[in-house]
Amino acid sequence: MKAAVLDFPGSNCDFDMYYALIDFGIDAKIIDARQSNLDDYDAIFLPGGFSYGDYLRAGAIARFAPAMEAVKKAADQGRFVVGICNGFQILTEAGLLPGALRMNAKAGFICDQVLLNVENDNSLFTKNLSRQQLLLPIAHAGGNYYADQETLTKLHANRQIIFTYQDNPNGSIDDIAGIISEKGNVFGMMPHPERAVDPLLGNIDGRPFFESILQTSGVLN
Amino acid sequence: MSIAANPQLKSAEEVKSERIYAQWGLTDQEFKIIENEMGRLPNYTETGLFSAMWSEHASYKKSKPILKTFWSKNERVLQGPGEGAGILDIGDGQAVVFKAESHNHPSQVEPYQGAATGVGGILRDIFSMGAQPIAVLDSLRFSEIKNEQTKSLIDGVIDGIAGYGNAIGIPTVGGDVAFDDAYEGNLLCNVMSIGLLDHQDTIKVGQAHGKDNSVIYVGAKTGRDGINGATFASTEFSSQEESQRSAVQVGDPFMEKLVMDATIKAVREMPEAVIAIQDMGAAGILSSSSEMGEKGGSGIWLDLDKVPVREKGMIPYELMLSESQERMLLVVAQGREKGVIDLYRDAGLDAVVIGKVTDDSRYRLSFQGETVADLDIKLLTKAPSYKLPSKLPVHIKKASQQQYQPKISNPLQIIMQILSQPTISSKKFFYRHFDSMVRTDTVVKPGGDAAVIRIRGTKKALSLTTDVNGRYVYLDPYRGGQMAIAEAARNVVSTGVLPIGITDCLNFGNPDNQEVYYESEQSVAGINNFAKQLNTPVVSGNVSLYNETDNRAIYPTPMIGMVGLIRDNRKITTINFKKNGDLIYLIGS
Amino acid sequence: MFLAKIYVTYKPSILDPQGEVIKSALHRLDYTDVNSVMQGKYFEIKLEAKDQRTAAKEIEEFSDELLINVNMETFTYKLSEISSVEE
Amino acid sequence: MFLAKIYVTYKPSILDPQGEVIKSALHRLDYTDVNSVMQGKYFEIKLEAKDQRTAAKEIEEFSDELLINVNMETFTYKLSEISSVEE
Ligand SMILES: Nc1ncnc2c1ncn2[C@@H]1O[C@H](COP(=O)(O)OP(=O)(O)O)[C@@H](O)[C@H]1O
């Protein structure tokens, strides 16, 4: 599997994601988001950070970066598109995922580890999870997910909600922590699985997430 | 020589007769030295340059005699005090770079931006040596939490550190915080940063060499922010004076991330082209350029018309002293400018040649086609230093004659009271706002005794902590200094790691007060004594004097930042009890 | 030269968490008369355009495209001609 | 009931990093006519007060105290009486 990790000006989890992917034997490259061709990649990762300083709104400016056209193309073609934290914010701003992310209900940046429920264990990203809950790091100031009632009804009906918080840290509507697109190949979440893959750092709950992606992409089987 | 006469500015004669220099912090005697050494009167701009460079903040004129006593050499030391940051050898061609900075007064006046720009400044100190910053720690002191005002100061400082560090993507992994009314009206905000150099041969120091090499300005544009910041940091506070607010600077972590990544890339890709780098901190272009010139034994010529500006009509005095953030000064080999400039431009940054290195030991500025300053660079950068008188504080004399026996009637109640003290209780409320995990190298996160950061690709890890107890130092400066080191070392050792070096931030009151000077002298002597015994040289640091409000000094607070090294990261230990039935030992006396 | 003052607010149906936080802070400071607080964004943008209509069109376009998130925000604006010297 | 519309902006000499980044983004989107962008805050606050003067006084007070950072920002406001039903 060939994966691109996009580097927007201000991204700061690009290397973390890159190292995590490498760790799973994925052929990953960090790609400058000013580049506009991503045809070579089976999966595209939008990492965490503060693209363009998160000025205006998180993800608002990044969605116009040249690479985003290529990301749309990849999404249309059914390739994997994964946005973590700031990457999730960019995907919603770009309209590749429904809804929007507001500032946390209790103001301020939170860095912690939180328990997530796996709401749908049959998505491309969770098919092989074999776990009902995960403990994953969060680190964000704007993770308060919002969608209007109509969108929410659809999200529930299509089983697009993948992860919810057990103890909602940011005010997200319906405790939503991660969702997929209608077609199921675009995924976004606020928590950071790439920060939880190395036993030395004390948490490996992110591993099943990457393993699941690898398996559904046919590499492990 | 023609020194341009700007009709709006005071003439050299007026600067002298109206004692303009005194408003800027120079004493009559210092002005006389300048006049004598120069053989003429300094003009308005030149006087401004001296006032900034001879301020305590830039020159350490009052603390130098004390700083000189620091023990800072052993087999690991690659760079001791005097540069942007200190450097220690950690084997395999790698080195660790670290330093601490205070941003006390700016944070008292404008907590968010003061703390944020403190983080920005210390990070620039690290990456200007060519190193990749890998962690930040913060050491904070506030008054007891009594009212909304203290709370909003605390919130502001915490949010400022978080706002900058989180955005730039360097984890804030530890620090310490305590509350005591001694810091009422004069909080302490010290930040420490640690960087990694993968190849010792790419170490960059701020020394301008080579006639006709170019001086290149990179980063944000210059505005009128923080003019007089250096002199501001060197005077006491009065709770009355609102005018001090002109020193507020706004940080832009997004811009700094671009500057940081581009600078590290320039050093790695063009090590021979980039001869020297220095960040523009207090007294901006002035101190960075003159210090680089002086340390390299060179002169500097700058063309101020080339400086990228944000505001119109800035005069040389303002251009030179502005403390606009996120700016760096590079010396680049003649003929190699384009490669370096292109690299920064590609990152979307300003990079402009603004001057040259000369071989005549002069510091010359040109503005609108005229020479506006022409000074001996050594005179400018070497303020006279003062050995001040000291005397045993009265409170110590008194205390030594008293006996105090705590009366304990209800131990349980007392334990509960102690645990509920903000200084003692968990600091999670603060550090949960900091991204302590970004870069995915944090092995031991905040909440333990010290933080531990692994060095990716090796089995090595670094342990980091900041400590000092101002009350101990107040009661016994010498032993208090020793105890600061001992506490830091205990914290590092608790993670299973061997301490290897120290940085410091010496926060004291007004040094002209003999008791305060005694505290500084004695506590540093104590630090020194213990640093030697532990073989942990003091390789960098920072001095913050005049920490007083309405003539009341803070507790003497020499903050110690300590770094430890472990070769096998499997041997790192953590604070929590591991399992039922394990034995508990008490070690020590 | 034109000056646009653009006001961005959440759509009425959307809870504004920052507004709520500020309201409670005002209450704690004893401004208990305060009934509701809504926090939005305010932009002052100067732009060249051949006439007011063109300027208005441009502003509406880029506000929708960049300045607001149409899922949750709306905007209003005021436009006036200014002399270039004011710049 | 009164409605106050409060506009908070940076003082002129203070760096506005957001404004600069938004301006470049607009330029990249081909709105090259845009000359300058300043981002500030906008509040709509409803409050009870016995008369307009009292309301004005209160608004000025709490704006200085809480809404703005007096070191870097200034504010202007508009005040109007509204019927409580509009609430
Ligand atoms: N200002 C701070 N920033 C980051 N972490 C902090 C801060 N203050 C405390 N901590 C974390 O909490 C731990 C315990 O804090 P404290 O009780 O002050 O330390 P100590 O046990 O050294 O007295 C520290 O080692 C650090 O990990």
Side-chain angles (χ1 to χ4, degrees), chain B residues 138 140 173-177 423 427 431 434 446-449 467 487 491:
Chain B
D138 59 297
L140 311 175
V173 297
D176 64 313
V177 54
T423 299
K427 310 299 186 299
Y431 62 70
F434 304 146
D449 288 311
D467 291 288
E487 183 182 359
N491 282 330

Side-chain angles (χ1 to χ4, degrees), chain B residues 3 6 104 122 137 140 162 252 272 299 301 333 336 367 387 411 423 437-438 451 484 497 531 537 550 556 580:
Chain B
I3 297 290
N6 180 332
N104 304 338
I122 193 68
L137 290 86
L140 311 175
D252 181 358
E272 325 82 48
W301 170 80
R336 302 291 305 270
F367 180 66
K387 169 86 178 82
T423 299
M437 297 184 268
V438 62
V497 179
D550 302 333
N580 258 342

Side-chain angles (χ1 to χ4, degrees), chain B residues 33-160:
Chain B
I33 295 175
I34 293 167
E35 190 184 340
N36 286 345
E37 292 287 325
M38 287 178 67
R40 65 172 167 86
L41 284 176
N43 65 23
Y44 183 89
T45 303
E46 292 168 333
T47 308
L49 304 186
F50 276 109
S51 75
M53 291 307 294
W54 285 24
S55 71
E56 173 59 29
H57 196 69
S59 73
Y60 293 133
K61 60 188 170 191
K62 297 185 176 173
S63 42
K64 214 175 243 165
I66 297 180
L67 296 181
K68 275 197 192 134
T69 64
F70 271 133
W71 174 73
S72 52
K73 281 202 172 66
N74 77 356
E75 62 290 351
R76 279 189 197 280
V77 179
L78 298 174
Q79 175 67 58
E83 279 294 333
I87 309 181
L88 292 178
D89 188 341
I90 54 167
D92 316 312
Q94 293 182 313
V96 58
V97 180
F98 57 99
K99 172 151 196 276
E101 268 281 354
S102 63
H103 239 213
N104 304 338
H105 285 178
S107 305
Q108 179 71 40
V109 174
E110 168 45 46
Y112 185 97
Q113 295 297 345
T117 54
V119 174
I122 193 68
L123 289 171
R124 285 195 298 282
D125 275 333
I126 302 302
F127 69 76
S128 66
M129 314 284 298
Q132 168 66 54
I134 55 173
V136 169
L137 290 86
D138 59 297
S139 177
L140 311 175
R141 297 293 179 273
F142 301 101
S143 69
E144 301 281 358
I145 310 172
K146 287 173 299 228
N147 48 36
E148 289 292 326
Q149 205 191 348
T150 334
K151 274 192 209 146
S152 79
L153 277 179
I154 297 171
D155 286 349
V157 168
I158 297 289
D159 287 350

Side-chain angles (χ1 to χ4, degrees), chain B residues 1-5 9-13 15-16 24 31 34 38 40-50 371-375:
Chain B
M1 182 197 65
S2 99
I3 297 290
L9 305 181
K10 301 280 183 186
S11 68
E13 288 72 26
V15 167
K16 181 175 184 181
W24 291 343
F31 189 78
I34 293 167
M38 287 178 67
R40 65 172 167 86
L41 284 176
N43 65 23
Y44 183 89
T45 303
E46 292 168 333
T47 308
L49 304 186
F50 276 109
T371 300
V372 293
D374 186 346
L375 302 168

Side-chain angles (χ1 to χ4, degrees), chain B residues 466-480:
Chain B
T466 63
D467 291 288
V468 63
N469 187 329
R471 193 181 304 181
Y472 292 166
V473 185
Y474 176 76
L475 293 173
D476 185 338
Y478 187 86
R479 297 191 71 182

Side-chain angles (χ1 to χ4, degrees), chain A residues 61-123:
Chain A
I61 298 177
R63 85 171 166 107
F64 294 108
M68 288 307 291
E69 282 305 320
V71 171
K72 278 189 191 120
K73 185 172 164 195
D76 287 342
Q77 293 173 341
R79 288 182 273 151
F80 282 148
V81 174
V82 178
I84 303 297
C85 198
N86 196 227
F88 184 20
Q89 294 163 333
I90 297 170
L91 290 175
T92 58
E93 282 284 341
L96 288 169
L97 287 172
L101 291 142
R102 294 170 298 179
M103 299 310 283
N104 294 349
K106 272 208 202 101
F109 190 101
I110 319 164
C111 177
D112 212 335
Q113 309 216 53
V114 297
L115 279 167
L116 302 177
N117 289 323
V118 181
E119 297 293 336
N120 175 351
D121 58 5
N122 196 29
S123 78

